[in-house]
Amino acid sequence: MTDAFDLLIEGGTVVDGGGGPGFAAAVGVIGDRLRIISGETAHLRAARRIDATGHVVAPGFIDLHSHGGLMMLAEPRHEPKVRQGVTTEVIGVDGNSYAPFLRQQDLDDFLTLNAGLDGRPDIACDWGSVAGYLERFDRRVAVNVAYFIGNSALRISACGWDEVPADARAMDRQRGLLREGMEEGAFGLSSGLDYPPGAYATTEELGALLAEAAKLGGFYHTHVRYTLGDGFLDPFREAIEIGRQGDGPVHLTHFYHRATYPGPPERMLKLVDDARAEGLDVTFDLYPSEWASTRLLIMLPPWIQAGGVAKTRERLADRAIRARIRDELAARGRSYAGAAPWADLRLGYFARPEHARWEGRTLAEYMVETGLDPTDAICDLLLAEDLRVNQVTPGPHTAGLAPFFRHPVSMIGSDGVLIGAKPAPRTYGSFPRVLGEFVREQRLTSLEEAVRKMTAAPAARLGLADRGLLRDGLKADIVVFDPAAVRDLATYEEPRRFPAGIPHVVVNGTLVVDGGEHTGALPGRALRRSSTA
Ligand SMILES: [Zn+2]
């Protein structure tokens, strides 16, 4: 062999993503492609050599649930994620995607509506089509993205912002936009059935859209309708029914167990096993963290948002409507296993300087200082911030994480929110927590199996034939970590801490993390469905 390598990673143990035992080999990179070299490497020429003695060399991790669809364009180094070894992320999740939009005003309103979750960076958002949006990522961000089309975007263009059924014409429009977006490179359809206006879609409507996506090789990525029926199994039964009706694959995102649920995690996992036994293609991801995070708007009854952003603002300001909200909040109670009421809701991401001191503090503290009740506190904050408030709340039950993680079709989706001074710890810590705590300390799976769940399994789910494995000729997305030292350092109190033990990350053949530091390189691409580019 006489080829000169651009990069040669020598002396490490290759855990190739396929789930088999790690083996001693070197990993070479030429351009953006890999080569595995067993045996001597001293005679090989290489522009750069990395000594990986004592380290594992694995495919870069794939995050199946990212909120980086806007923030990455503004902060393209994407350090919270790439420092964890993430090289590809799924964006456009929760039904909340930013393309296609036929009318600029609709996109502008949608950006405002979702700013408490995805942020609203100061960038020009004038892409319109899926193709135009995806181009913004190519070689301009640190990691690769795989894009899903959210059903909120489809519904806004086809039905507007109201809670109305999608008639035959609206269904044709939604299907047409979905097909076009997938032809431009999207990987499928997402939903977030707690988030209007996508939440107005019926089971049948989503089944019909999945049927369209499945024809083109796509799948259904769903944040389920958590309030449906028993609020425990019924939301997931609906997702599986959508798969049945659409005759297409279903991926349950952030599938987890709460301490407040009326049954154990095993009953939730049995739904997946039963569906698979029936012949349905059902998989899921989880985030390895006890803290959830989303936009504060989710705390209010969804009818607040009917008709869009301007109507939402009007309702928030209306005293009579606040009285109705007050009654509904009292009747519903909190869905969280909270200690003191609202002391478990931490506020984050304020755009207005006068609110900056509230970042990282709880709604209970805000209520004490302002003398407001929860309804007025939430409505006032949302109005003052033009809806753009984020929250961090208790999420998955610790005891439930292990059975979900060990399940053979589980994968990892960080769901990390990239805004605010104190995001939930999953933003900076998800993948290293799997390697440090789940594998090394708790031995929930072998290291090889954990790596498979974070690499080859999601690559196969996405249909990425050239990523997710370290094999000759595949794309060079690589992470080098120390299996004895890798750990997450992000905590609830100090969530913005980078992990330890991940010295090198390579994206498309280029070092993005080198010696534990970001190189500033931006080799990421928007991957296109069934493309090998
Ligand atoms: Zn979600």
Side-chain angles (χ1 to χ4, degrees):
M1 189 187 297
T2 55
D3 290 345
F5 290 95
D6 296 310
L7 174 65
L8 197 55
I9 303 170
E10 304 167 287
T13 299
V14 172
V15 173
D16 73 2
F23 54 92
V27 176
V29 175
I30 299 175
D32 64 356
R33 299 280 171 175
L34 286 166
R35 192 174 299 170
I36 307 301
I37 306 131
S38 29
E40 230 359 89
T41 53
H43 63 290
L44 298 175
R45 288 183 297 132
R48 169 78 197 278
R49 310 179 94 97
I50 287 174
D51 177 6
T53 303
H55 286 65
V56 165
V57 185
F61 303 138
I62 298 176
D63 184 345
L64 280 163
H65 192 122
S66 164
H67 286 286
L70 290 176
M71 291 307 293
M72 210 188 300
L73 297 175
E75 294 172 18
R77 291 160 60 98
H78 207 38
E79 198 147 6
K81 302 302 290 300
V82 74
R83 291 279 297 268
Q84 296 181 52
V86 171
T87 57
T88 296
E89 301 198 329
V90 168
I91 59 170
V93 294
D94 293 330
N96 295 325
S97 74
Y98 301 103
F101 273 88
L102 304 179
R103 291 175 292 266
Q104 184 65 39
Q105 186 60 52
D106 282 338
L107 175 56
D108 291 342
D109 283 352
F110 194 68
L111 289 161
T112 299
L113 181 69
N114 206 38
L117 182 50
D118 285 354
R120 177 61 182 97
D122 187 17
I123 53 170
C125 299
D126 52 1
W127 43 70
S129 67
V130 170
Y133 177 63
L134 296 186
E135 278 168 20
R136 300 288 181 103
F137 293 86
D138 288 334
R139 299 183 196 285
R140 296 194 220 176
V141 295
V143 307
N144 302 310
V145 297
Y147 181 64
F148 277 71
I149 298 174
N151 86 305
S152 275
L154 298 176
R155 226 176 189 275
I156 289 165
S157 289
C159 312
W161 294 78
D162 284 313
E163 182 164 12
V164 291
D167 59 17
R169 191 154 156 266
M171 284 309 302
D172 275 350
R173 286 194 86 178
Q174 291 198 80
R175 273 192 292 259
L177 289 168
L178 177 60
R179 187 167 54 241
E180 200 174 295
M182 287 194 63
E183 282 163 355
E184 290 170 2
F187 286 75
L189 172 73
S190 84
S191 74
L193 301 178
D194 289 325
Y195 300 110
Y200 303 143
T202 62
T203 309
E204 292 70 30
E205 176 177 337
L206 292 159
L209 292 176
L210 171 56
E212 192 69 31
K215 270 191 239 165
L216 294 168
F219 68 90
Y220 177 53
H221 185 286
T222 180
H223 162 137
V224 299
R225 207 182 307 267
Y226 282 92
T227 53
L228 184 70
D230 65 2
F232 172 44
L233 301 178
D234 288 341
F236 303 101
R237 289 189 178 117
E238 184 194 27
I240 291 165
E241 175 58 23
I242 288 164
R244 205 177 276 126
Q245 290 186 11
D247 194 19
V250 172
H251 182 81
L252 307 170
T253 196
H254 48 56
F255 190 43
Y256 65 82
H257 185 257
R258 279 187 189 277
T260 49
Y261 282 168
E266 288 71 21
R267 290 190 61 199
M268 300 174 72
L269 293 168
K270 186 170 184 302
L271 288 182
V272 173
D273 293 333
D274 289 350
R276 293 179 64 84
E278 182 190 328
L280 300 171
D281 180 359
V282 179
T283 55
F284 66 88
D285 67 63
L286 68 146
Y287 53 86
S289 170
E290 290 82 356
W291 297 99
S293 180
T294 187
R295 59 198 201 201
L296 179 65
L297 195 54
I298 206 167
M299 281 296 150
L300 300 180
W303 53 260
I304 291 293
Q305 297 171 55
V309 169
K311 291 252 174 60
T312 304
R313 290 189 193 104
E314 276 170 36
R315 291 195 190 97
L316 289 171
D318 185 317
R319 290 286 141 192
I321 286 186
R322 286 198 187 185
R324 203 178 138 196
I325 295 172
R326 196 167 281 118
D327 290 346
E328 287 199 26
L329 282 184
R332 188 173 60 167
R334 289 286 303 285
S335 58
Y336 300 109
W342 307 101
D344 57 353
L345 189 158
R346 194 167 77 187
L347 299 162
Y349 183 56
F350 292 102
R352 298 181 67 89
E354 67 267 31
H355 291 143
R357 67 196 181 92
W358 290 106
E359 281 202 12
R361 299 176 66 193
T362 70
L363 188 67
E365 291 175 271
Y366 182 81
M367 285 160 51
V368 166
E369 188 164 319
T370 57
L372 297 172
D373 78 345
T375 300
D376 283 333
I378 293 172
C379 292
D380 282 0
L381 276 172
L382 287 170
L383 271 177
E385 286 284 330
D386 198 19
L387 314 181
R388 297 170 295 185
V389 187
N390 176 260
Q391 64 173 34
V392 176
T393 53
H397 183 40
T398 306
L401 290 175
F404 279 77
F405 178 70
R406 296 174 84 145
H407 191 278
V409 302
S410 73
M411 304 171 208
I412 300 296
S414 73
D415 203 357
V417 168
L418 295 157
I419 52 176
K422 290 203 173 182
R426 62 193 186 182
T427 300
Y428 284 66
S430 287
F431 292 83
R433 187 174 182 196
V434 166
L435 296 170
E437 194 175 322
F438 289 10
V439 173
R440 186 177 60 239
E441 290 168 16
Q442 298 181 18
R443 300 182 187 278
L444 298 182
T445 67
S446 67
L447 175 64
E448 288 84 352
E449 172 64 0
V451 168
R452 187 191 66 81
K453 287 175 178 296
M454 304 193 291
T455 58
R461 187 29 129 186
L462 291 162
L464 299 175
D466 56 354
R467 297 180 196 268
L469 288 166
L470 296 184
R471 301 272 163 85
D472 282 347
L474 299 196
K475 294 285 188 179
D477 291 343
I478 306 166
V479 56
V480 179
F481 64 87
D482 179 346
V486 62
R487 65 184 311 113
D488 70 308
L489 298 173
T491 62
Y492 177 75
E493 289 305 332
E494 293 291 336
R496 291 174 61 161
R497 296 174 69 191
F498 295 117
I502 307 178
H504 306 284
V505 183
V506 175
V507 178
N508 297 325
T510 298
L511 276 160
V512 175
V513 176
D514 193 6
E517 298 292 329
H518 201 295
T519 63
L522 303 175
R525 306 281 297 267
L527 307 179
R528 271 74 168 181
R529 182 187 54 86
S530 49
S531 88
T532 50

